[in-house]
Amino acid sequence: MKKQDNTYRKNFLLIIIFLILISVTFIIALFVSYSLNAKYVENEFASKKIDVMEQTIKPYTSLFQNKIPEITSYQGFLDSASAAKYADSVFHNYNFVKRIVFYDLQIGNQKNTAIIKNQLGISIKSIYHYWPKKGKVAGLKIWNTANEPDFDQMAKKLGNYINSSDTAHSSTQDEIFRSFYDVKPGQISYSNILRREDVKILRELQKHPNSPSFSKQNMMTFFINPYLLKVKNTHKELYQDVTVEPVVYDPPDNQAGNLITELALPGALSDYKLYFKSAPDYLTNEINRRFMPIGASVLLVYCFLVLIGWLIYRNLNVNIKLFKLQYDFINNFTHEFKTPVSVIKIAGSNLSGDSELSEKQRKQYGRILNEEADKLNELMNKLLSFTQLENKSINIKIEEINVERFVKSYIETFRIKYPDFKITHNFHEVHPLYTDPVLLGSIFQNLMENAYKYSHPKNKELHINVSNTKRNIVFAFRDRGIGIRKDELPNVFKKFYRIENQYNQNGSVGLGLAFCKELVNFMHGEIIVNSKVNEGSEFIVTLPYEN
């Protein structure tokens, strides 16, 4: 009869396909994530330059929005000394300002002034130049006030504001910027902002041209050197080098393939730009640095999927082994029951038949029935005891055992049962043992039966060595049987596990050694096995002297 195939099958091709699929997915994920990351870095290279510019021109913005408007607080009453002090604070905090020109102005209704707008004249009383020198301010008064284009431009703006502003409402920021600021490349001119009351007073002066009167006004021009701006590269991971260059700057041939971008500076810095440059390897390193955590995450997911696949495979493999164990157990257990039942049925049929039996035949059939019934009873008891051991429901009966007498009695029993079984023994200072003799006998029964069963017909030998340690007694059963392969040693004590060999085709359900293991554990001991193929096996049982 052909042996039926297992329901579960190891489909290695499916496993390989699964591994190939997730590996290809892993590679594609790495490629896509790297490409997207590279594109993202390139986009940042083009966009993050605004952050660098904002941080670089932050001092310039502070000068323009905060420091320069402080002039208004003097309301036109700055003189050379206070102007020098103000200039000193500017040079100290804004090193890119290389020179300041201070204009002390007056606005009146006399007609001999430089700028006349609707009977209102704006003229220069004095001009002072200031520049930094060895940590201090150097100043120079200019006596020739003619040909001052900065003053002319600002005077016209101021005259227009006085004549056209609405004194009923506050001026807008746009009106203030158009009237009191003049921003050109490299310089900023500023005059103090007139209050509505000041504008009203100046308009009254226009109505009385024959009554000379004047009002003070201040104006300053700041000359800026953009090269003195400190470049703040807030994205060093993107920009290898950032410099201030003229707008007309044309870089030499880019033979190295450097990545280049630029951004024009605002206001008085408009003739210059920030020039950004990075070597290809520089950005590649940044791409790789950012890709590392992404790649690690993708790798982690890949490993997780591989782990899931391995767990599924292991689970299927365990199911296959469990199915095989159950299949073999049912087959062998059926065989173990079938043989005694068949013999009992035959003997019972002969006893109940019509033919008369002699006394000798009747006794022979009775003996057969008793022997087969004992076999069935022994098998059932073993299963029942195994279940009780697993559920910890068996009761142990502690008795004092004379070890030497106990071992010799089993040896004699097996010599009678198997005349060809050569059994020797040795004792080393053994003390009385306190344990359950039935459980200990079951261990001896199974280990001695295995030693006989798994030995060559002409080499059935067993040596039992009994020794002791400080608190334990050690039983060593060494045979010269067929041995156990190294890869099968971890499984010999598992329930329903059978070693496939010519001596184990029938007549075993894989419970013997598992039963021994459970018994030894229940008795708080330990059992190990050492074996070599075709040389024999040694089972070593260590039990405490007192349970």
Side-chain angles (χ1 to χ4, degrees), residues 229-468:
L229 279 173
K230 184 178 181 181
V231 176
K232 294 182 179 179
N233 188 359
T234 55
H235 293 283
K236 294 182 179 179
E237 73 281 2
L238 297 173
Y239 308 112
Q240 187 177 11
D241 186 35
V242 182
T243 57
V244 177
E245 302 290 348
V247 172
V248 295
Y249 172 74
D250 188 16
D253 293 339
N254 188 13
Q255 296 179 354
N258 295 326
L259 292 173
I260 296 172
T261 186
E262 55 188 35
L263 187 63
L265 295 174
L269 309 172
S270 58
D271 276 355
Y272 293 84
K273 63 184 178 182
L274 286 180
Y275 185 74
F276 303 83
K277 181 176 68 175
S278 294
D281 293 342
Y282 191 83
L283 274 190
T284 300
N285 292 336
E286 175 62 15
I287 293 171
N288 293 337
R289 186 188 68 82
R290 297 191 184 188
F291 176 72
M292 289 301 292
I294 300 174
S297 300
V298 175
L299 180 61
L300 185 63
V301 173
Y302 173 76
C303 294
F304 180 71
L305 292 176
V306 172
L307 177 62
I308 291 177
W310 178 78
L311 290 175
I312 294 174
Y313 167 73
R314 189 187 68 168
N315 186 55
L316 291 175
N317 199 33
V318 169
N319 287 338
I320 291 172
K321 291 181 179 179
L322 180 61
F323 178 83
K324 186 177 184 302
L325 289 174
Q326 293 174 341
Y327 181 82
D328 291 343
F329 169 73
I330 293 172
N331 280 348
N332 294 316
F333 200 74
T334 302
H335 177 80
E336 286 291 297
F337 271 93
K338 185 176 181 180
T339 302
V341 169
S342 299
V343 174
I344 290 173
K345 183 174 180 61
I346 293 172
S349 297
N350 290 333
L351 286 174
S352 61
D354 295 335
S355 59
E356 296 183 0
L357 300 175
S358 62
E359 185 67 20
K360 182 178 180 181
Q361 289 177 323
R362 186 181 63 78
K363 289 182 178 181
Q364 182 180 1
Y365 286 136
R367 180 179 58 79
I368 292 173
L369 288 174
N370 286 332
E371 289 178 353
E372 298 303 322
D374 288 340
K375 289 182 180 179
L376 291 176
N377 186 58
E378 182 182 353
L379 185 58
M380 293 303 297
N381 285 337
K382 183 179 289 187
L383 286 173
L384 180 61
S385 299
F386 201 108
T387 303
Q388 290 176 333
L389 281 172
E390 287 186 326
N391 296 329
K392 307 296 181 182
S393 60
I394 194 170
N395 295 322
I396 187 169
K397 298 178 181 179
I398 305 297
E399 297 180 12
E400 181 181 345
I401 299 175
N402 186 310
V403 177
E404 186 172 349
R405 188 183 307 160
F406 180 87
V407 174
K408 287 181 178 180
S409 65
Y410 267 90
I411 291 175
E412 290 301 321
T413 300
F414 270 81
R415 282 175 177 170
I416 296 171
K417 186 177 181 179
Y418 304 115
D420 58 338
F421 199 11
K422 298 177 183 179
I423 307 175
T424 57
H425 62 275
N426 194 18
F427 299 93
H428 299 279
E429 300 179 358
V430 179
H431 307 295
L433 175 64
Y434 292 88
T435 189
D436 191 322
V438 177
L439 300 183
L440 183 62
S442 296
I443 295 173
F444 268 74
Q445 178 78 21
N446 279 282
L447 293 179
M448 294 176 75
E449 282 281 358
N450 279 355
Y452 181 82
K453 185 176 181 179
Y454 295 104
S455 296
H456 298 288
K458 296 182 180 181
N459 199 24
K460 296 185 179 295
E461 298 180 10
L462 174 65
H463 178 74
I464 302 176
N465 184 71
V466 185
S467 60
N468 65 352

Side-chain angles (χ1 to χ4, degrees), residues 196-233:
R196 285 182 289 177
E197 291 78 4
D198 296 332
V199 175
K200 291 178 181 179
I201 294 172
L202 292 173
R203 286 182 179 178
E204 286 296 324
L205 292 179
Q206 292 176 327
K207 297 178 182 179
H208 304 87
N210 297 322
S211 300
S213 183
F214 299 94
S215 176
K216 291 178 65 62
Q217 185 75 5
N218 297 140
M219 171 184 161
M220 282 192 176
T221 300
F222 301 80
F223 292 88
I224 295 171
N225 183 1
Y227 286 115
L228 297 179
L229 279 173
K230 184 178 181 181
V231 176
K232 294 182 179 179
N233 188 359

